């Protein structure tokens, strides 16, 4: 396969950027009227940590306060000193993004806004365990649920909710109006692809959300982990192509005789950090759910991690 998409001319493989200075404990400016403070929670899933953003000057909004870590809370409060926090916007309810919202609300009286409480993309199957249950902030309830396209505003800023389900059912990005900036959270990140893990997430939703972003004209993404995405439309096209290549790889493994997800992971993710193979298995399951729905793959009963798969 050539190195570029024949239709769009974009690179087939996203050009991931893994150079990033998190500056833990210190808020740094990343755009006009926007500061970033990275939480000290590095891991194979969170890169150098979760990015918290402060929008505005005197009257501000905090996007994704992050995990409830004392050092991060203290650094955030120091960065906010002398300013009024009117809103706390939460992109989704994984524990590296939302828990500190409650503590920040208690301290500042700000209003918490989000798409809604945590929920899976589909009901759990009989006997199924949600592998990301411990990562889900099921106690989170926003003060106001933001419908798609709804806005909140303050002194010199206005944010619009852009629903982007896929990574989670309640994932939302936030557009900073009149700037071309989109806070893309975990939907699109410069350092790696987003985890799409059933039942928390759904591949069909994720792909539809990528397609939706391609209809926008944002000039810069500020994601939940790592550095900015400076050419978002080209990057999203490459991400979309990358996911379609993964889908074709799953189809090919089944056509070659693989019947179980672990066998597919060994081949498709041979060069991936073994610590991420559990997440890779869930990503394969997400593709299989979509492929079964399309009738390209068959299995007995609903798709599951332990299921046996064959050509449709």
């Amino acid at each position: 396969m050539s190195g570029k998409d024949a239709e769009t001319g974009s690179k087939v493989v996203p050009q991931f950027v893994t150079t990033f200075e998190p500056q833990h404990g210190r808020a740094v400016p990343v755009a006009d009227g926007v500061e970033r403070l990275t939480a000290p929670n590095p891991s194979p899933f969170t890169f150098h940590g979760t990015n918290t953003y402060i929008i505005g000057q005197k009257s501000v909004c905090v996007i994704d306060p992050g995990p409830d870590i004392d050092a991060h809370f203290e650094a955030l409060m120091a960065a906010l000193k002398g300013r009024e926090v009117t809103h706390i916007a939460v992109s989704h309810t994984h524990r590296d993004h939302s828990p500190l919202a409650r503590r920040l609300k208690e301290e500042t009286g700000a209003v918490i806004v989000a798409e809604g409480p945590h929920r899976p993309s589909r009901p759990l199957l009989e006997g199924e365990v949600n592998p990301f249950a411990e990562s889900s902030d099921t106690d989170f309830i926003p003060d106001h649920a933001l419908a798609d396209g709804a806005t909140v505003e303050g002194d010199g800023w206005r944010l619009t909710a852009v629903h982007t389900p896929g990574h989670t059912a309640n994932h939302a990005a936030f557009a900073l109006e009149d700037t071309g900036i989109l806070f893309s959270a975990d939907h699109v990140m410069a350092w790696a692809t987003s985890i799409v893990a059933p039942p928390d997430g759904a591949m069909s939703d994720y792909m539809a959300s990528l397609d939706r972003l391609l209809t926008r004209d944002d000039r810069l993404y500020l994601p939940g982990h790592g550095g900015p995405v400076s050419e978002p439309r080209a990057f999203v096209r490459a991400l979309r192509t990358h996911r379609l290549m993964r889908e074709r790889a799953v189809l090919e493994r089944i056509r070659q005789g693989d019947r179980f997800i672990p066998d597919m992971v060994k081949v498709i993710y041979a060069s991936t950090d073994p610590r991420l193979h559990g997440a890779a298995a869930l990503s394969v399951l997400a593709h299989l759910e979509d492929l079964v729905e399309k009738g390209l793959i068959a299995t007995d009963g609903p798709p599951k991690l332990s299921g046996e798969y064959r050509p449709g």
Side-chain angles (χ1 to χ4, degrees):
M1 180 175 290
S2 68
K4 297 199 173 186
D5 182 295
E7 181 179 349
T8 65
S10 64
K11 291 182 182 297
V12 167
V13 179
Q15 301 301 294
F16 295 119
V17 178
T18 56
T19 54
F20 178 66
E21 294 294 334
Q23 303 291 323
H24 293 136
R26 185 167 70 90
V28 295
V30 291
D32 187 26
V34 181
E35 298 166 76
R36 181 186 66 218
L37 178 65
T38 304
N41 61 325
S43 78
F45 296 100
T46 60
F47 198 34
H48 290 286
T50 303
N51 291 331
T52 296
Y53 294 98
I54 302 170
I55 315 302
Q57 301 294 339
K58 295 180 180 179
S59 165
V60 306
C61 174
V62 174
I63 297 179
D64 283 350
D68 194 351
I69 297 174
D70 286 343
H72 185 55
F73 178 72
E74 290 164 7
L76 180 57
M77 292 309 300
L80 293 169
K81 187 175 181 179
R83 296 190 277 185
E84 178 190 15
V85 182
T86 60
H87 294 82
I88 302 165
V90 174
S91 65
H92 66 293
T93 45
H94 281 156
R95 289 189 179 276
D96 58 320
H97 287 260
S98 57
L100 200 62
R102 292 182 287 274
R103 191 170 171 186
L104 185 59
K105 173 184 171 64
E106 290 172 2
E107 188 71 25
T108 65
V111 175
I112 299 175
V113 298
E115 188 271 356
H118 190 81
R119 64 185 186 278
S121 292
R122 60 160 174 77
L124 267 69
L125 305 175
E126 184 177 353
E128 183 181 26
V129 175
N130 183 351
F132 276 80
E134 292 186 2
S135 300
S136 302
D137 185 4
T138 55
D139 294 329
F140 176 86
I141 299 175
D143 295 315
H144 295 294
L146 286 183
D148 186 48
T151 63
V152 293
E153 57 187 282
D155 182 20
W157 57 265
R158 183 161 54 97
L159 281 179
T160 299
V162 181
H163 289 184
T164 48
H167 176 64
T168 60
N170 67 347
H171 194 285
F174 298 100
L176 185 57
E177 296 298 340
D178 302 320
T179 69
I181 294 173
L182 182 77
F183 296 91
S184 57
D186 284 10
H187 183 57
V188 176
M189 301 176 289
W191 77 284
T193 56
S194 178
I195 294 172
V196 181
D200 251 25
M203 189 61 69
S204 57
D205 289 343
Y206 181 81
M207 296 298 287
S209 293
L210 287 183
D211 287 343
R212 180 181 187 190
L213 291 191
L214 287 174
T215 68
R216 297 177 54 85
D217 59 357
D218 305 297
R219 65 173 180 84
L220 183 72
Y221 289 174
L222 295 176
H225 306 273
V229 178
S230 58
E231 296 182 14
R233 293 189 71 182
F235 191 80
V236 169
R237 285 196 297 266
L239 273 182
R240 187 179 183 281
T241 300
H242 176 71
R243 292 287 185 176
L244 291 174
M245 289 173 65
R246 283 282 191 244
E247 178 183 277
R248 288 195 291 270
V250 171
L251 277 168
E252 183 60 24
R253 292 317 310 161
I254 291 175
R255 288 166 181 162
Q256 291 294 324
D258 287 351
R259 294 292 175 261
F260 299 97
I261 289 176
D263 298 324
M264 301 177 209
V265 169
K266 288 178 185 177
V267 177
I268 298 171
Y269 292 89
S271 61
T272 298
D273 185 339
R275 293 176 296 174
L276 299 177
H277 277 194
L282 290 166
S283 181
V284 171
L285 175 60
H287 279 295
L288 287 166
E289 285 186 342
D290 194 25
L291 289 167
V292 168
E293 179 67 24
K294 293 174 180 175
L296 298 174
I297 296 297
T299 187
D300 296 324
K304 53 187 177 180
L305 277 173
S306 60
E308 183 174 353
Y309 298 89
R310 58 188 181 275

